[in-house]
Amino acid sequence: MERTDGVENLAEAKRIAKQAYVSGKTLNHYQKYPKFFNYLGNKRDQTNTCSIRIYKGNIFIWRGKGKHKSLITAHPIPDRYIKEMEELK
């Protein structure tokens, strides 16, 4: 809740996390941005098996599968990668 912009309560944070898991973009979507793609790959490798989704300017990381998945963290995309994506558009 603290790491995502504009989320004011736990219920809203859970709703956004669920939307991110269902509708968020996966790591492969960002292959055309080499630095950001490598950053996401390193995040995935640090947490062993995890699921990463990018949704509304935030990176969401889950561990586990199916009903047993749990959100590890969410944080905004670092500015340096936003700049990379803007430059390559």
Side-chain angles (χ1 to χ4, degrees):
M1 204 167 75
E2 296 171 1
R3 293 183 176 191
T4 54
D5 295 330
V7 176
E8 297 180 8
N9 59 52
L10 186 58
E12 185 179 0
K14 286 182 178 182
R15 182 182 59 76
I16 289 174
K18 184 176 180 179
Q19 286 177 332
Y21 192 79
V22 172
S23 303
K25 294 184 176 159
T26 63
L27 175 82
N28 291 333
H29 180 80
Y30 293 93
Q31 287 182 2
K32 58 187 170 189
Y33 308 110
K35 292 177 185 175
F36 186 51
F37 182 74
N38 288 336
Y39 172 77
L40 294 173
N42 287 336
K43 289 285 185 192
R44 184 193 57 213
D45 294 343
Q46 289 172 359
T47 57
N48 293 330
T49 56
C50 69
S51 178
I52 296 176
R53 300 283 193 277
I54 291 54
Y55 184 74
K56 292 190 174 183
N58 292 295
I59 301 167
F60 292 82
I61 302 174
W62 287 268
R63 178 173 289 159
K65 294 181 180 182
K67 293 182 180 180
H68 303 289
K69 68 181 176 299
S70 56
L71 183 63
I72 296 172
T73 191
H75 58 86
I77 297 171
D79 288 340
R80 65 185 176 266
Y81 301 116
I82 291 172
K83 289 178 184 174
E84 175 191 24
M85 287 184 259
E86 289 172 352
E87 288 173 3
L88 293 176
K89 282 187 178 181

